[in-house]
Amino acid sequence: MKALLVKSLLLSTSILLITTACYHKDIYDFSELYNDNYDSTKYENLNKFDSVMGTNYSLLEAKYCIKWIEFDVECIYGNEDLTKLIKEMLDLGGFQYQLVKEKHDDSEKQYVSIFQIAGKNYEFRTSSEGDYVDLEIIIPILEKVTRDNNPDYEYNISNLDGGQVANLIFAKSSDLRQAVDEGFPCSLESGYWQWDKEWQWGVYSDIQLKQIPDFEELKTNYHQTLQELYKQGFNVPELTIKRIYIDDIFKGNQIDIMIDGGPLSTSSSDIVGNKVRCFWDSWGVLLAYTLVKHYNGKPTLYDKEEKETTVVTQQEYQMMAEKAFGKRLK
């Protein structure tokens, strides 16, 4: 497993908890290697991104004593598999527990494992209709365990791309926040943007430029714009620059914005000549705002539903974007 190979370089200084909760086998598709038109450089940027995130993970999990386990998210074939996995998750956090009961909930079609910690029962469930782990059910129970028994610490899932192999971490909350600020690949609430109907669905921001900017320079200006908006009281995330990664990940003429090392693009915008068609999500609108403000970009709006283009001035666009960002509640 990739994360294990990276971590082996730091065994002497790391706190390591490596699980064998569920055996998994990686399956690779090499079919495109036999295609005469195969482009060996296609994944260069993706490999670079993976390398940066892997290095950040290894250095910072050692620096901040972040403990971790890996497990296959498709490994549940019976109650015993759920129980084994939960035991390893609780061991990761150093909790003393007793298994109270294993059962199958026929009405909900779920495996159930009940554990007692400090005299209180915690019920873990996952579907019995498939082999996958219902992390959306299990993680909230783990969070409750930490709130009740060790509130200065937390569980989380790192953003290392392991395919169907998940990387569960356990760390002191203050240390994890500092690690993420320094580039550790893990999503925290501080990186989420509350964005719903602030910008009309399907309306792209087309920004015409003299030339497409260098991505490292763009990242600096993107972060500067975010900081300025935050200081002015706008309802935007407050991020360090190391939490932002910008590149054309798959060399598809796109600007991909990755926040906190997310395994999937947080936002992707198309490059067409010297024009950037910025997506209508929060990060895409911020990109358009940055291109207008720092690169003298000329904005137009394109409604994909109506197939209509609307010309707006730079000042009008900035006012529209700022209205969408909104002000933080005091």
Side-chain angles (χ1 to χ4, degrees), residues 264-284:
L264 300 175
S265 297
T266 301
S267 181
S268 291
S269 298
D270 294 329
I271 299 172
V272 183
N274 285 335
K275 179 180 75 176
V276 180
R277 171 158 285 182
C278 302
F279 200 66
W280 58 80
D281 64 2
S282 55
W283 301 106

Side-chain angles (χ1 to χ4, degrees), residues 40-101:
S40 62
T41 67
K42 179 179 178 181
Y43 298 107
E44 283 180 348
N45 291 344
L46 175 62
N47 291 336
K48 177 184 174 184
F49 171 73
D50 284 344
S51 177
V52 170
M53 292 303 115
T55 298
N56 288 354
Y57 183 102
S58 296
L59 294 175
L60 293 168
E61 63 93 6
K63 179 179 178 180
Y64 290 103
C65 297
I66 298 171
K67 298 189 288 185
W68 59 277
I69 59 173
E70 288 184 323
F71 59 93
D72 191 324
V73 297
E74 297 180 2
C75 66
I76 303 298
Y77 303 101
N79 262 118
E80 65 280 3
D81 296 318
L82 174 62
T83 296
K84 183 177 181 181
L85 179 59
I86 299 303
K87 283 182 177 180
E88 296 193 351
M89 289 177 167
L90 294 175
D91 287 340
L92 178 67
F95 296 105
Q96 300 298 313
Y97 57 83
Q98 287 185 328
L99 176 63
V100 176
K101 187 177 182 180

Side-chain angles (χ1 to χ4, degrees), residues 199 203-215 218 222 246-248 252-257 267-281 283-292 295-302 317:
W199 192 268
V203 176
Y204 292 99
S205 302
D206 286 350
I207 312 299
Q208 188 67 41
L209 303 165
K210 288 186 178 180
Q211 63 182 24
I212 300 301
D214 172 78
F215 286 164
L218 176 59
Y222 190 81
I246 296 178
D247 202 350
D248 182 0
N253 290 322
Q254 291 184 316
I255 297 178
D256 297 314
I257 300 170
S267 181
S268 291
S269 298
D270 294 329
I271 299 172
V272 183
N274 285 335
K275 179 180 75 176
V276 180
R277 171 158 285 182
C278 302
F279 200 66
W280 58 80
D281 64 2
W283 301 106
V285 174
L286 177 63
L287 172 61
Y289 185 93
T290 302
L291 293 173
V292 169
Y295 297 93
N296 196 32
K298 303 300 188 292
T300 57
L301 303 176
Y302 178 72
Y317 185 84

Side-chain angles (χ1 to χ4, degrees), residues 314-329:
Q314 291 173 317
Q315 183 178 12
E316 287 172 333
Y317 185 84
Q318 289 183 71
M319 290 176 63
M320 291 173 61
E322 288 174 1
K323 181 180 178 181
F325 298 150
K327 291 284 189 173
R328 291 194 305 278
L329 297 176

Side-chain angles (χ1 to χ4, degrees), residues 1 3 7 17 28 47 53 58 64 100 105 111 127 130 147 159 163 184 197 205-206 232 236 238 306 312-313 319 328:
M1 293 177 284
K7 286 172 177 293
L17 273 165
Y28 300 95
N47 291 336
M53 292 303 115
S58 296
Y64 290 103
V100 176
D105 187 330
Y111 298 121
S127 173
R147 284 197 305 270
N159 283 330
F184 185 80
K197 299 180 180 178
S205 302
D206 286 350
Q232 293 168 22
V236 302
E238 185 182 22
E306 301 296 332
V312 294
T313 66
M319 290 176 63
R328 291 194 305 278

